[in-house]
Amino acid sequence: MSKSERPNQLFRNLNAKVASIPMVLTAVVIFVGGSAWTVLYSFTNSKLLPRLNFVGLDQYYRLWSTPRWLVSIENLLVYGVLSLVFSLVIGFILAALLDQKIRFEDTFRTIFLYPFALSFIVTGLVWQWLLNPEFGIQGVVRGLGWESFNFDPLYNSDIVIYGILIAALWQGTGLIMCLMLAGLRGIDEDIWKAARVDGIPTLKTYLFIIIPMMRPVFITALVIIAAGIVKVYDLVVAQTSGGPGIASEVPAKYVYDYMFFAQNLGQGFAASTMMLLSVVVVIVPWAYLEFGGKKRG
């Protein structure tokens, strides 16, 4: 009987499957094909134009011996870990507060989500101005009489990545808040009532009951944040252009500069391949958690 049902399963929603063929071909040819092409030419010494002159792993040896690349990886790790943690924590806290049926909820939700409507370039320019030591936050506070106040992260090579992080959190936390709020609104009210009847404190209810039930929401938020972390570029260019010196370099900027300014395609392809590997590291666990768990269930 199962064999007789297989053709029916195969041809179910046939129109939708036929309509999806262009999208599938686009994904295979452009994304998969482009990725394979990039990996292939990362083993060549291509300069201005791509050419199949293989040099083995020379581009990768050079890549990992370049201080600029090492700084960009360090910045990405610091920025990534902090962005991931603070986005999830702040987003969830804001969502939990809005979930209390407060007055003017729509207004607050709009205010928190509005920065996400801005491009990274606009966000970067706004925060470049706010963090300017002369006429930004530091200048305003000093103008009020606190002459010793210092807040110029974009001009300090030791903490410049944290200034970029502030702008990123300001823009992206609102989206995470909305995802979390949607997840909280999907929790059955009977769960809350049962927790209150059992005398479970609110904090423990969130930690041990609500958050585990919101696992799919957290996984979705994790993938969105991780994708933004790997491809961060606009924000850095708008705020610091990689400075002071190379203190705020990130992999995406390294790739762009080598491919379009240094005219060294082989080195740019090698760096792109490393970024591709980082994306795979994110996607594979997500796919396993999303689909592997369902198959086992």
Side-chain angles (χ1 to χ4, degrees):
M1 183 174 180
S2 60
K3 292 182 178 180
S4 63
E5 291 178 354
R6 286 179 185 173
N8 296 332
Q9 294 289 339
L10 179 63
F11 293 103
R12 180 176 295 179
N13 298 325
L14 183 60
N15 291 336
K17 292 178 180 179
V18 172
S20 67
I21 290 177
M23 180 189 67
V24 173
L25 291 177
T26 300
V28 171
V29 174
I30 295 180
F31 295 107
V32 178
S35 298
W37 189 85
T38 299
V39 173
L40 174 65
Y41 278 88
S42 69
F43 297 102
T44 69
N45 63 349
S46 301
K47 296 296 183 181
L48 178 61
L49 295 174
R51 56 180 181 176
L52 283 174
N53 186 11
F54 291 101
V55 292
L57 297 174
D58 286 0
Q59 295 290 1
Y60 292 94
Y61 291 135
R62 179 184 175 190
L63 179 69
W64 287 102
S65 63
T66 303
R68 182 179 176 185
W69 174 254
L70 298 179
V71 169
S72 69
I73 292 297
E74 181 182 351
N75 286 336
L76 188 67
L77 289 175
V78 173
Y79 173 86
V81 172
L82 294 180
S83 178
L84 187 64
V85 172
F86 282 110
S87 294
L88 291 174
V89 171
I90 297 174
F92 184 81
I93 291 175
L94 290 176
L97 293 175
L98 289 179
D99 194 43
Q100 306 305 311
K101 307 298 189 295
I102 62 174
R103 295 180 62 185
F104 307 112
E105 176 190 328
D106 293 343
T107 302
F108 284 114
R109 189 167 63 241
T110 301
I111 292 173
F112 291 138
L113 186 59
Y114 177 74
F116 186 72
L118 303 177
S119 69
F120 276 117
I121 293 295
V122 174
T123 298
L125 293 176
V126 168
W127 279 95
Q128 183 190 56
W129 178 82
L130 288 173
L131 299 177
N132 187 288
E134 294 184 6
F135 47 82
I137 296 174
Q138 176 178 297
V140 172
V141 174
R142 287 188 176 184
L144 296 175
W146 190 357
E147 295 293 337
S148 62
F149 179 80
N150 288 312
F151 190 64
D152 57 347
L154 298 185
Y155 297 84
N156 187 334
S157 60
D158 293 329
I159 59 174
V160 62
I161 195 64
Y162 302 106
I164 295 172
L165 175 67
I166 292 172
L169 291 175
W170 179 77
Q171 187 194 44
T173 304
L175 174 64
I176 305 303
M177 178 207 69
C178 288
L179 292 174
M180 297 296 176
L181 184 59
L184 288 172
R185 294 288 164 82
I187 301 296
D188 195 332
E189 188 66 28
D190 292 338
I191 301 294
W192 290 103
K193 293 179 181 178
R196 295 189 191 100
V197 170
D198 292 338
I200 303 176
T202 303
L203 180 59
K204 289 187 176 180
T205 302
Y206 276 113
L207 291 178
F208 300 109
I209 300 177
I210 303 302
I211 290 180
M213 294 179 67
M214 292 176 59
R215 174 177 163 273
V217 177
F218 275 91
I219 292 176
T220 301
L222 175 65
V223 173
I224 292 175
I225 297 171
I229 291 170
V230 172
K231 66 181 183 181
V232 61
Y233 170 80
D234 313 48
L235 205 57
V236 175
V237 171
Q239 285 188 274
T240 66
S241 293
I246 60 172
S248 60
E249 284 288 336
V250 289
K253 186 175 182 299
Y254 183 95
V255 171
Y256 185 87
D257 288 350
Y258 267 84
M259 292 184 69
F260 296 100
F261 290 108
Q263 296 179 352
N264 190 337
L265 292 181
Q267 184 69 187
F269 289 148
S272 299
T273 302
M274 290 293 100
M275 292 182 64
L276 177 63
L277 287 177
S278 66
V279 173
V280 171
V281 168
V282 173
I283 293 297
V284 170
W286 167 77
Y288 176 78
L289 291 173
E290 277 293 291
F291 304 109
K294 292 179 181 178
K295 288 181 179 179
R296 289 195 306 270

